[in-house]
Amino acid sequence: MSSEKRNKLSEIFKLAWQFVKRNGYKLSEALKCAWLNIKLKAEMKKRIVKFYFQKIDGSLREAYGTTIPATTGTRKPADTVQTYFDTEKQEYRCFKKANLIRIA
């Protein structure tokens, strides 16, 4: 197994166990959500992606986002949130990785 593939699988399982411990997910749910987060992250590096996540108030949010390398003054984001550039609002936003519903 190549080291790139091994690193990706390691990242997926670390994220899944994080969902199990912090959010009370079952392992199968956590793995599905972790895979979805990794796919979203990879797609956002290539293009603008439409995705859905659940907001803290419980409502569903439709977002169009991409990852644009930040210029200056950036800090390391928390490992529980995904930061993205919202192309509709033209500003950076974030959401909890555990709240990702689907990629369109």
Side-chain angles (χ1 to χ4, degrees):
M1 186 183 298
S2 68
S3 63
E4 182 181 323
K5 190 173 184 179
R6 190 175 315 121
N7 290 339
K8 189 179 228 182
L9 287 174
S10 174
E11 184 180 357
I12 291 167
F13 275 94
K14 284 179 186 177
L15 190 57
W17 278 113
Q18 176 183 324
F19 295 154
V20 169
K21 291 177 185 174
R22 292 184 181 172
N23 302 95
Y25 281 20
K26 293 180 182 175
L27 185 58
S28 62
E29 296 170 333
L31 283 169
K32 287 176 188 176
C33 192
W35 272 105
L36 196 59
N37 274 283
I38 298 300
K39 288 177 184 177
L40 176 65
K41 187 176 173 183
E43 285 297 312
M44 283 199 306
K45 287 182 182 177
K46 298 177 193 173
R47 61 185 176 89
I48 296 172
V49 182
K50 178 181 176 182
F51 57 96
Y52 297 88
F53 63 91
Q54 186 175 7
K55 292 171 41 173
I56 293 178
D57 66 0
S59 62
L60 191 65
R61 164 99 156 78
E62 175 185 66
Y64 294 88
T66 186
T67 54
I68 298 175
T71 52
T72 58
T74 61
R75 61 180 184 209
K76 185 179 181 232
D79 60 345
T80 59
V81 298
Q82 174 67 47
T83 306
Y84 67 98
F85 185 78
D86 191 332
T87 55
E88 293 177 320
K89 301 285 185 179
Q90 295 297 313
E91 57 187 37
Y92 283 96
R93 303 267 177 158
C94 65
F95 65 92
K96 289 184 180 182
K97 290 180 180 180
N99 292 347
L100 182 62
I101 304 295
R102 69 181 173 106
I103 302 171

